[in-house]
Amino acid sequence: MDAVSLETQRRPFSIKLWPPSQNTRQMLVERMNKNLTTKSIFTQRYGVLTPEEAEENAKKIENAAFSTANQHYEKEPDGDGSSAVQLYARECSKLLLEVLKRGPRTKEDAEVLSSEKTNGDREEPPSEKVTAEHETFFDISKGQRAFIEAEEAEEILRPLKEPGNSYTKICFSNRSFGLGAARVAEPILVSLKSQLKEVDLSDIVPGRPESEALEVMNIFSAALEGSILKSLNLSDNALGEKGVKAFGALLKSQSCLEELYLMNDGISEEAARAVCELIPSTEKLRVLQFHNNMTGDEGALAISEVVKHSPLLEDFRCSSTRIGSEGGTALSEALETCTRLKKLDLRDNMFGVEAGVALSKALSKHADLNEIYLSYLNLEDEGAIAIANALKVSAPLLGVLELAGNDITAEAAPILSACIAAKQHLTKLNLAENELKDEGAIQISKALEQGHDQLKEVDLSTNHIRRAGARHLAQVVIQKPGFKLLNINSNIISDEGIDELKEIFKKSADLLGSLEENDPEGGDDDEESGEDKGDEDGLESKLKNLEVKQDD
């Protein structure tokens, strides 16, 4: 049966710009089709394509652009998708230009194509032929979230039943499985589990009653029990303790996991303990992500046991999990054993100074750290200084440093600046929503003066910065060869200072972020700004002005 939109169901969903709906994708294909068949400076020069050829190329362009943008979005799943939309539009424009420059098929090309289509075996050219034997990734997650029932499951999962298929990775995300669909999938998963290495079961029961959702989880868990997986994603399923235990059979059978994702799963204290008890071994674990849960201090104690026994951990995310000082200290102490850590994300917790100092001791042992996200942890000056001192002598290749929203004042700026000066591989520095003022901003800018040729983004928005601090910062970053964005919005820069900034960036205006929230009078702004709400209209507005741009 047809997929039913979940928009009418009881559970509210967050609306994002990505992925686009089928209607939006078709709209874009039609627009490109028109570009290929109507008079323009390009078709006048290179020729107009036939309607058939234009439609064929438009579909190929859209598919290729969608694939590229979707891969980009999957690396940043918590964004609103705006960067994926922009990439989608750029790729369409680039590929469209290539097709226009190539021009229409010659008569000889058309005859060869016609011959290929009418011969007995109807084989495609070798370069375009794709067989099931060579496909390794099966993905049904594209498009809008929707229910899937037994009849549709039979059709959509049919490729997984083909003899000799080589699928090693499956993604069932973004489709809500009912019991009928789950029972269709069950024997298929049983037949595949010996060859599967990566399984994504995130967001597979949205909108389902709890009893049905738990039974679906049990079915998938039992079907995959005994598989030898490297990666398992159970995110966005509102698991809680019951849900974690519903996947118990699968989790208990995994001793070779390298990646485990449990984001936005309602992982409470009890659920965290269940995770700790159910996973038999984490000795090979490289990626562990717990973003957006209800873990709290007690849950953090359980997670810290998992971390403590994961010596190969490279990517650890435990952001937005309601962890306070006790849990933060326990996690920090556990992280001391993870000396191979490359990416650490603890944003949006309630660590406080004590946990921040404990974390600094762990960071002194992390020589391979490349990205560290410590925003909104209530570190204050003392915690930030401890962390800056630790990072100054460790993590020589640090590329991303985020310490936004930690009540850091100008008093911490000298130590913070010394740390930043030592990090010559920095690409992104985020110190937004602190209280650095002009004094701190000037010290930070001086730390960035020498070297830092890889720097691309600096964010010192909402720091009570005035004209002098803004000017110093702008004069430094504009000199960096690959710089992309300076955000100093929501400060108290005078109108004259704004004019100076615009003059400094007059040849590269796109490198200076918006200054709409700047308050030149220095008054408090108590008005709450509403969050941007992405919707389909917003997405279409971003795409409707798609243009074919000639390369410089």
Side-chain angles (χ1 to χ4, degrees):
M1 64 185 288
D2 292 338
V4 181
S5 170
L6 293 187
E7 293 177 356
T8 60
Q9 301 305 311
R10 290 170 294 177
R11 180 179 171 184
F13 298 148
S14 2
I15 301 175
K16 297 185 177 181
L17 291 175
W18 192 265
S21 68
Q22 285 300 126
N23 285 340
T24 298
R25 295 181 65 182
Q26 183 58 36
M27 171 271 296
L28 195 55
V29 168
E30 291 171 0
R31 186 171 298 135
M32 289 189 290
N33 194 348
K34 185 177 180 180
N35 281 334
L36 293 168
T37 55
T38 56
K39 188 175 180 180
S40 69
I41 59 171
F42 295 101
T43 54
Q44 282 182 318
R45 182 173 180 181
Y46 300 111
V48 177
L49 274 64
T50 64
E52 295 79 10
E53 188 180 358
E55 183 177 7
E56 178 186 345
N57 278 282
K59 289 179 178 178
K60 286 182 178 180
I61 291 169
E62 192 280 330
N63 279 329
F66 179 90
S67 178
T68 299
N70 199 59
Q71 289 175 15
H72 167 82
Y73 175 70
E74 287 175 352
K75 295 177 182 177
E76 300 178 1
D78 299 315
D80 65 0
S82 58
S83 61
V85 170
Q86 292 168 5
L87 179 59
Y88 182 44
R90 285 200 304 271
E91 285 295 303
C92 282
S93 178
K94 181 185 75 173
L95 296 173
L96 185 61
L97 180 60
E98 290 177 1
V99 170
L100 284 166
K101 285 184 173 180
R102 191 173 67 226
R105 293 191 189 106
T106 63
K107 181 178 179 181
E108 291 77 12
D109 290 336
E111 289 174 353
V112 169
L113 183 63
S114 176
S115 174
E116 287 171 348
K117 286 185 176 180
T118 55
N119 67 25
D121 52 15
R122 301 176 67 86
E123 285 208 7
E124 298 176 8
S127 61
E128 297 182 7
K129 187 176 181 180
V130 180
T131 63
E133 289 81 6
H134 296 97
E135 293 180 8
T136 60
F137 182 24
F138 181 81
D139 185 4
I140 64 170
S141 68
K142 305 298 185 292
Q144 292 182 326
R145 300 167 81 183
F147 282 121
I148 179 172
E149 305 298 346
E151 185 178 346
E152 186 185 5
E154 288 278 5
E155 179 63 29
I156 207 168
L157 301 181
R158 192 181 306 278
L160 293 176
K161 299 168 68 174
E162 293 179 4
N165 75 73
S166 301
Y167 293 112
T168 59
K169 179 180 179 180
I170 59 170
C171 178
F172 285 179
S173 180
N174 207 38
R175 306 301 297 272
S176 181
F177 280 77
L179 283 176
R183 289 180 180 129
V184 169
E186 182 178 14
I188 296 174
L189 293 176
V190 170
S191 70
L192 289 176
K193 67 181 178 182
S194 63
Q195 69 192 55
L196 290 176
K197 299 300 179 187
E198 300 179 52
V199 170
D200 186 343
L201 299 179
S202 62
D203 202 22
I204 58 167
V205 288
R208 301 289 179 179
E210 181 182 280
S211 58
E212 183 179 20
L214 290 173
E215 192 167 349
V216 168
M217 294 177 196
N218 273 305
I219 290 172
F220 282 127
S221 175
L224 291 167
E225 181 181 5
S227 55
I228 304 175
L229 302 179
K230 290 184 177 180
S231 177
L232 177 61
N233 191 344
L234 301 177
S235 302
D236 301 306
N237 283 312
L239 295 178
E241 183 183 11
K242 292 179 182 178
V244 170
K245 290 182 175 178
F247 279 114
L250 173 57
L251 290 170
K252 282 181 180 178
S253 68
Q254 300 305 308
S255 58
C256 296
L257 273 182
E258 296 181 12
E259 300 179 8
L260 177 60
Y261 303 88
L262 293 167
M263 299 185 287
N264 193 28
D265 270 333
I267 301 291
S268 60
E269 169 191 337
E270 295 80 8
R273 281 202 294 264
V275 170
C276 184
E277 293 166 3
L278 288 171
I279 302 177
S281 172
T282 57
E283 291 181 357
K284 296 184 179 180
L285 205 61
R286 294 184 299 101
V287 178
L288 178 60
Q289 300 204 356
F290 275 95
H291 168 71
N292 197 26
N293 285 298
M294 303 179 295
T295 311
D297 279 348
E298 294 300 321
L301 297 179
I303 295 173
S304 67
E305 289 300 311
V306 177
V307 172
K308 194 181 298 182
H309 296 94
S310 305
L312 302 184
L313 200 61
E314 296 178 2
D315 180 347
F316 179 55
R317 184 178 188 185
C318 200
S319 50
S320 303
T321 47
R322 306 183 186 181
I323 297 174
S325 181
E326 182 185 1
T329 299
L331 268 182
S332 298
E333 292 171 352
L335 285 168
E336 291 187 35
T337 64
C338 305
T339 56
R340 298 192 182 188
L341 206 62
K342 295 180 180 178
K343 182 177 180 180
L344 177 63
D345 187 347
L346 299 172
R347 282 175 287 189
D348 191 23
N349 283 298
M350 299 170 284
F351 276 34
V353 173
E354 185 178 347
V357 173
L359 180 60
S360 71
K361 296 175 182 177
L363 294 179
S364 65
K365 301 179 180 181
H366 293 155
D368 295 330
L369 262 180
N370 182 258
E371 299 177 39
I372 185 164
Y373 302 89
L374 304 178
S375 297
Y376 309 105
L377 292 178
N378 298 330
L379 295 175
E380 301 181 12
D381 282 347
E382 185 179 348
I385 286 172
I387 286 170
N389 276 327
L391 289 175
K392 181 181 176 182
V393 296
S394 64
L397 300 179
L398 190 66
V400 176
L401 175 59
E402 288 202 5
L403 284 165
N406 277 302
D407 296 321
I408 303 172
T409 72
E411 290 185 17
I415 303 299
L416 200 54
S417 297
C419 171
I420 292 169
K423 301 300 138 190
Q424 286 294 313
H425 293 272
L426 272 183
T427 60
K428 180 179 180 181
L429 175 64
N430 185 354
L431 296 170
E433 296 186 51
N434 285 300
E435 299 173 22
L436 291 168
K437 300 185 177 179
D438 273 12
E439 180 184 349
I442 291 171
Q443 291 187 65
I444 298 299
S445 63
K446 287 184 178 297
L448 294 171
E449 281 181 347
Q450 301 299 318
H452 290 94
D453 291 337
Q454 298 177 40
L455 191 65
K456 297 187 185 308
E457 184 175 340
V458 172
D459 189 343
L460 263 76
S461 57
T462 318
N463 263 286
H464 303 288
I465 297 172
R466 296 180 184 273
R467 178 180 181 180
R471 182 176 63 247
H472 276 83
L473 198 57
Q475 289 171 337
V476 169
V477 299
I478 195 66
Q479 303 299 323
K480 307 305 175 186
F483 195 74
K484 300 293 184 185
L485 180 65
L486 172 63
N487 183 6
I488 45 176
N489 203 6
S490 301
N491 281 300
I492 49 177
I493 308 165
S494 66
D495 291 335
E496 293 80 4
I498 297 294
D499 290 340
E500 282 184 336
L501 292 174
K502 290 180 178 179
E503 179 64 22
I504 292 170
F505 285 92
K506 66 179 180 181
K507 294 183 179 178
S508 307
D510 57 324
L511 305 188
L512 178 62
S514 170
L515 294 167
E516 290 183 0
E517 301 300 321
N518 179 66
D519 180 9
E521 302 299 325
D524 293 329
D525 185 2
D526 294 328
E527 294 183 10
E528 295 182 4
S529 59
E531 294 182 2
D532 291 336
K533 295 181 179 180
D535 56 22
E536 195 64 33
D537 291 338
L539 174 58
E540 291 193 16
S541 69
K542 287 177 178 290
L543 294 175
K544 70 181 181 181
N545 294 322
L546 173 70
E547 298 176 357
V548 182
K549 296 180 180 178
Q550 181 74 51
D551 296 335
D552 293 333

